[in-house]
Amino acid sequence: MVIKNFLDDLLKDDVKKFHFHLSGYTQSKIKPVPRGKLEGKDTLDTAQLLTGHYGSQEALLVTINILKEIGQRELAYQLEINMSPQEQPCLSRDIMKKEANQGDKLKLLLTCGGNSLDSYDRFVIVVNKSSSEQIQYLNFLSKLKLFCVLDFDPNSAAVGGLCHSYRESRVANLHLPVQFQGKTEKVIKELNLYLQTSWVFCNGRHDLDNNLNKELDYKNWLRKSCRDVEHLVSFICNPDVFLHGRCLIIFLLLSPVDMNKDPIFDTYKSFIKHTDERNIITICESQSRYLKWRELVKEKCDFDIELLSINELTLSEINGTIIGLGPVTSSSTRLLPSSGSSAVVLKQKDEDLLTALDVLCLNQCENIYDENSSKFHDFRITVEEEFYRGAKVRWWNFYFCDKDMEKSFIKRDKYENVKKMIRSQRTHSSNTCVLLTLFHDPGCGGTTLAKHVMWDLRQEFRCAVLKDNTVPKTEVANQVRHLMKLESEKLSPVLLLVDDSKETENHFDLLNCIRQAVEDLSSIHLDDAQSCKVIILNCVRSQNPVEQYRQHNQNQNQYITAKLTPQEQKEFEKKLKELKETHEKPENFYSFMFMKNNFDRKYTENLARNTLENFDFSIKTAKLFSFLALLNTFVAKSEIALSLCEDFFQMKMIRWKEDSVLDRMKPYSNFLLIDSVDEWGGYKGVRILHHAIASACLEELERSHHLKVSDIVKEILHYDLFFSVRVVKQRLMLSIQRMLIERQLKKDGEEREPFSPLVNKIHSQQGRQTVQEIFVKASSRFQTSLSIPQALARYLYINVRDFPEAMKWAEKAKNINENPYTVDTIGQIHKSNLRCNIEREKQETSHNPEDLHKNIEIAKNGWKAFQRAQELSDLDNEVEEEAADDDSEDYPRKTYNIKGYVSILEISFLVFEILSRLPFFEKNDLLKKHYLQSFLNGLIPINNVHKENSVANSRYVEIIKEHQPFLVKLKSEVKEVFDFLNSYFTYIKQNSELDTLNHRIVTDHFKKYVDLFCSTPDERRKEQENKANLSLKLDIEEHKRFLEKNQADTFSGILQYLDKPAEEMERITECYAFLLRNMVNERPRKAKINYIMSNIVLYHLKANSKHVKKHRDLCVLLQEVLQDVGLQHPFPDPYFLALLLFWPSPTDENIDIATFVTAIRKSSNKYLSKLFQKRSTVAYFYLGKEEGLKRLVSKRSLDKSFLSKMHRDALAQLWWSGEIFREEDIIRRLYRVKGTIEQGEVYANYGKQKIPVRPARISGIRSGFSTENVSFYIGFAINGPLAYNIKYEN
């Protein structure tokens, strides 16, 4: 019997639910089955009873409807498609009779038989052209959780269009189908998918003045756009984007569809190719239009859409029906605190913009359920049980305790301390943004404590939790600023919780970004400094929270440990009694009980011993449990996706419920929890209840079952299932990698352990062979990742000192991806090898000259590696793709820029040390030390160095001769590195611990340099009177020395004179004019460039000076320079001049200025990356409204307009905040350029020319890659044009 077979797939609890709904079934003309007849019936009895009571055909319909009502939609779907062809038409007729009221049918289709839109993760809308009359009835789109809208109306974004209407109340990013190509995870991240609606224009977009965005006829659409739309459909239906059945596609037909020749029908066919037709429904207001569409689908797709269509309701009725559906996942009005104890409404559109933040409202959890209903009671029991078993705390947990004051939430001992710390910083700190840290043992309730404090401070602060630590810091800063100023003229203070931080993470970047973003606003609101506050509460997992607390500023830090105070223990005892009143067997809430037992390891050891008594590693259930124990012990926030667990058990039928995995996992399921994971649109993951339980289980497996962690690692690496390309699998793969390579801080908190805890454990238990076996296997699994071979190389050279084998794996990492980090590892191996040799030789009484040859070869190879690493770090395109993969390696990815230089110094001084220990170069003998200085300065050859005649010394001389080119240039190379690093540390703000460490290393080595090379006075005195030939030559040299003395021999030095007296600039300009007249036998390219720049600067200081050339003459001279240098000049100076002199006027479209923008970007990246990597540049000139040189408006001249009215500090604040561009003097003098933002890039539009421009400020453009019309002011910086004060046209 068909019905019996499907009922067999239900669990016992589901069968009970089926009986309950069957006894109350009212959708048939026949009376329901009496409840007494169902008591004690099995699935066979139930099936027979159904058939006898309703007849065979209606029994199928009743079964399908009840399965949907109890949440077994997939099972219902399977039953429908298993029906015989003869039964399906009858079913169709019955459904149509039952659903003559199509409102019920619409609810059924959208909610799977329930009353909530939560049945689907997201909705996809495919819509054709709409009219203004229709749009007023399409408000329901704002109610749906839209993933994307495929819009075939090119006028939709214009005023009166559907897209424009939607964006009045919700956020949508405007995209094209082509933007969905590329790696799935990259597309999701770039387009803000899941976080904000993507509105995709599938056939033109007329609000953009661009011929490329015109609507195409059908023939041209097939040729030019169809493939991109098909790719978009394939992307949407990719199981990495949505699991089967979790997304509903709605075809909303608002206008006629041309038979056979309509892009929207081709799109329907594409969806049919990639997903089951049951995942697609059609909504059509016009009956005649629907019938044509139905026939078209039936003819071309061999499928009748009758069951999956709404065609008898008006748009007004459709709109009202959908808006009336649940879930009411938020109260109708969400409130935020505001000034003067008032409250403001948090609009849905504003919340859409806060993609990185989970906002806690004043009225969180209120007015969502009927709190007297059984549904609310059941919900409360479930939420509380999940939390006390080990789930993350939810706002509901605090809400329930607030509603029942006699059963309050447990306040940890540090609760008042943390709250007092936050309030104190708001009141007394002068900083606009303050970073407070709560150090906590893993799993001791640190996050729960932080959220408890936040819940109780939600009246005083606008509170939010950072949802994703990987969101760019600038984007988080923009959103925090937006939250501060929402719906109020006065700013409101913000409390931001950053959760699950690692000790090794540096959150000062976030602090600085938020501080800058807030200070952008604070100049307008100087009267209310307390409101201009952001408090970041940073929860940090620590191996030693007490020690971390002691090492930091105790006014801005607190700690909580895995140890209860006597008062806390009483609170836990009290809570257990309360739980016994409302929950069955609360003693099985193991996470709660572990804490109640004061985190006693004996409790978890007993739990593990009793549960794992009959553990058998050969069984899949036991294997999966051991995998979870391993991951949850060594990787924070790890889980295995529920769908992966189902695949592991080969549970192919999608109709299985979540609980069936837990059912398979018995007897270990009491230790397991199914959690929601927010990444990639959300999915379910399985994990162990608590870190301590997972750890105890691992120890028990080793103690009682002789199963070592290495055995489990090898087993998890064995399964192909876990290593194919899927998003949820990639998250598991990342967890496995982290387990192998992620290092922790040492107990003292000063530096990190050399290897991950897992590798340390395996090394201590089984040694090198097992560690290497695991890394070798992992390397075969992660073939495109450089992390594993790089980590193995580090293990081999640090722990084992097997330098040849380490080099083999370091080379493998480099072959995967040659970047600064992989090449640096090679250099580090050479450096360690050299140090090891030096230490060994110090212990030896006799010395072999061949050791010198070997050591210099090692040093040369290391020197070359570090030089190459630095070159790679200075290239245009730094490797970013592996960054997240390797964050736990030696190098903080976003601050690496001078490590190669520092390492060159280190290895160079090792060479100096080796040389200074030779018999004839001993540094303790002043004469021999002088010989070493002279040799390294290239003043005397090695043969002229006085030494004793011996076989050893003769061999030393031969070796030094062989390596003399390397050794003699070493001193000058070291001097260049010191000069560069001196500039770096002088001109660049040190903003990381790495900068501080490098500065200390460089300072120490410079002392050695002084000691070695600068001990004799007047070392640099050279012959100066060789060139008494011609007075002209002497004059030229004298002019060059004048420029050098006045720091005017460089392009940047001349720019500095914008703030100096005009007389000095006149002498400099005159000096360059002399050089150009007289350097006839040289190619004075640099002098020409500097001469043009000096003219521009002098013009802005003294426009009527006789030394200023005309604009036309400067252009001619610059043309000569550009012809000479081409477009690959290593320095940006000539292209900067091209922007200043050749930037087009509003009527001039002929100059291809974009060519010079590309050139200046390339050259400045090469030239400036060494000094200004990740730093912002300054605009020296702005684009004005005049012509010629007058069109360039210097910042100095703009400042003059304000300094008579305000103090310089106040003016600096205006520039800093960007508010300067609202001032009338600025608006009057600067030219506002029209442009577009496309794919996240800003362009200035001059006719057909699109000139790439960078946004000057972090808040310039919002995320999501939406294509928009904008306007802005242009500033000219050394790395290209900058866009200031960007305004969106809409």
Side-chain angles (χ1 to χ4, degrees), residues 819-882:
N819 64 30
Y821 319 110
T822 53
V823 178
D824 181 86
T825 300
I826 291 171
Q828 296 296 340
I829 294 170
H830 287 305
K831 188 175 74 175
S832 294
N833 194 0
L834 195 58
R835 277 189 172 143
C836 185
N837 290 348
I838 291 172
E839 291 303 316
R840 176 176 50 77
E841 290 165 18
K842 283 180 180 179
Q843 309 302 320
E844 295 174 349
T845 53
S846 61
H847 301 287
N848 184 350
E850 298 309 316
D851 288 340
L852 176 64
H853 174 72
K854 181 172 67 175
N855 286 338
I856 294 177
E857 281 294 334
I858 293 170
K860 285 168 73 174
N861 290 331
W863 204 94
K864 288 176 185 174
F866 290 133
Q867 186 182 47
R868 177 61 180 157
Q870 190 61 52
E871 286 172 2
L872 289 168
S873 76
D874 295 339
L875 289 176
D876 297 352
N877 302 314
E878 287 189 28
V879 179
E880 296 284 353
E881 290 185 12
E882 283 281 354

Side-chain angles (χ1 to χ4, degrees), residues 393-447:
V393 71
R394 297 169 62 180
W395 301 125
W396 282 106
N397 295 108
F398 304 119
Y399 178 76
F400 295 147
C401 291
D402 281 1
K403 297 293 285 184
D404 191 348
M405 298 304 292
E406 293 182 3
K407 297 180 179 179
S408 60
F409 200 87
I410 295 174
K411 281 186 181 176
R412 299 299 300 275
D413 187 49
K414 293 294 172 70
Y415 168 89
E416 292 296 342
N417 298 40
V418 175
K419 187 192 277 190
K420 182 179 177 182
M421 176 175 70
I422 294 170
R423 284 175 167 163
S424 172
Q425 289 296 326
R426 177 187 173 184
T427 306
H428 301 300
S429 174
S430 59
N431 293 319
T432 52
C433 185
V434 183
L435 178 66
L436 308 179
T437 304
L438 177 62
F439 296 105
H440 62 92
D441 283 320
C444 76
T447 299

Side-chain angles (χ1 to χ4, degrees), residues 140-260:
F140 68 85
L141 293 178
S142 299
K143 170 88 172 180
L144 301 176
K145 291 183 293 184
L146 296 184
F147 179 72
C148 65
V149 176
L150 278 62
D151 197 337
F152 287 86
D153 183 355
N155 296 309
S156 185
V159 176
L162 178 57
C163 175
H164 186 276
S165 171
Y166 179 85
R167 294 180 89 194
E168 288 177 348
S169 60
R170 298 296 299 268
V171 169
N173 296 314
L174 312 187
H175 297 136
L176 296 173
V178 71
Q179 292 177 260
F180 288 77
Q181 297 179 16
K183 287 187 177 179
T184 302
E185 55 270 31
K186 185 180 179 185
V187 172
I188 289 171
K189 191 169 185 178
E190 286 186 346
L191 303 188
N192 268 8
L193 302 181
Y194 304 119
L195 302 175
Q196 293 167 330
T197 300
S198 169
W199 203 285
V200 191
F201 289 85
C202 296
N203 190 10
R205 183 180 160 192
H206 289 170
D207 65 305
L208 297 176
D209 295 329
N210 191 326
N211 288 328
L212 297 175
N213 293 295
K214 297 299 181 186
E215 182 180 14
L216 301 174
D217 58 38
Y218 181 69
K219 183 177 179 181
N220 280 306
W221 183 86
L222 282 178
R223 189 184 308 147
K224 296 180 180 180
S225 300
C226 182
R227 185 174 299 174
D228 290 338
V229 173
E230 283 184 352
H231 191 95
L232 166 61
V233 171
S234 172
F235 177 91
I236 294 168
C237 300
N238 183 341
D240 273 350
V241 178
F242 290 110
L243 292 174
H244 176 70
R246 301 309 304 150
C247 172
L248 183 66
I249 298 128
I250 303 174
F251 272 73
L252 184 58
L253 305 181
L254 301 177
S255 56
V257 177
D258 187 7
M259 300 296 283
N260 284 322

